[in-house]
Amino acid sequence: EQVRLLLADTLSAVIAQVLLPRIGGGRVAAREVLLVNPAVSNLIRKAKTFQIASVMQTSKALGMQTLNDSLMQLVKEKLADPKEAYLKAVDKQALLGRLRAAGVKTRFLEEIADTDPEEFNATHSRRAVEVGGQEQTASPSGTEVAAASAGTG
């Protein structure tokens, strides 16, 4: 508990990135940006870090960005292949839903299922639930405080 309290009081931001092959050559970075505000500090203090992703979604105007937002933007800008974005995603189900909603073809799933059936089944065997008349995949939030950059500003 003491570590959580200290982290809640000293953490200022967490920035994580993954590199993907860039369409046309080279690499491109997908970034996740968490800026600690009073809401995030409170969630850390109360051991409710699973809710941080929700704060990030509602705080985009402040500069926060989830990894899936960044991956989706790279796919939309045709800088990264949808399959590569999917492979780098932490919340694969959510990204897959967004790719499909944007009309992106997801035929690469068949290839993934053939090459790594155990990983594919583990990722896609989560229970489906009906929400608002539409089938949604129930998955726990993948957001946890994994890396920290403390600032004493």
Side-chain angles (χ1 to χ4, degrees):
E1 184 178 343
Q2 185 178 3
V3 172
R4 274 197 323 271
L5 295 175
L6 183 62
L7 190 59
D9 291 337
T10 60
L11 189 68
S12 55
V14 178
I15 302 172
Q17 74 175 21
V18 294
L19 295 175
L20 294 83
R22 178 189 292 265
I23 293 176
R27 298 221 176 260
V28 63
R31 295 175 191 89
E32 184 164 73
V33 179
L34 169 67
L35 303 173
V36 179
N37 60 19
V40 172
S41 290
N42 192 42
L43 291 174
I44 294 169
R45 212 174 280 112
K46 292 184 176 186
K48 294 184 178 183
T49 56
F50 61 92
Q51 294 178 356
I52 290 176
S54 179
V55 173
M56 290 175 73
Q57 287 292 332
T58 59
S59 300
K60 289 179 185 180
L62 301 175
M64 293 196 209
Q65 181 178 37
T66 66
L67 182 60
N68 277 0
D69 289 339
S70 182
L71 291 168
M72 195 64 204
Q73 190 63 35
L74 293 173
V75 169
K76 284 181 180 177
E77 293 175 1
K78 301 201 182 312
L79 294 173
D81 182 73
K83 176 184 173 186
E84 295 297 332
Y86 174 82
L87 291 172
K88 296 292 185 177
V90 174
D91 188 351
K92 289 177 174 23
Q93 289 292 334
L95 182 64
L96 187 58
R98 290 182 65 186
L99 289 169
R100 288 179 173 156
V104 176
K105 295 189 188 318
T106 56
R107 292 187 195 128
F108 59 83
L109 287 175
E110 296 167 14
E111 179 185 332
I112 294 169
D114 290 341
T115 57
D116 194 352
E118 284 185 32
E119 171 64 24
F120 182 83
N121 288 334
T123 303
H124 293 278
S125 65
R126 294 191 177 109
R127 142 183 91 82
V129 294
E130 193 167 306
V131 177
Q134 295 183 343
E135 188 172 278
Q136 306 253 334
T137 300
S139 64
S141 172
T143 302
E144 294 182 24
V145 177
S149 172
T152 56

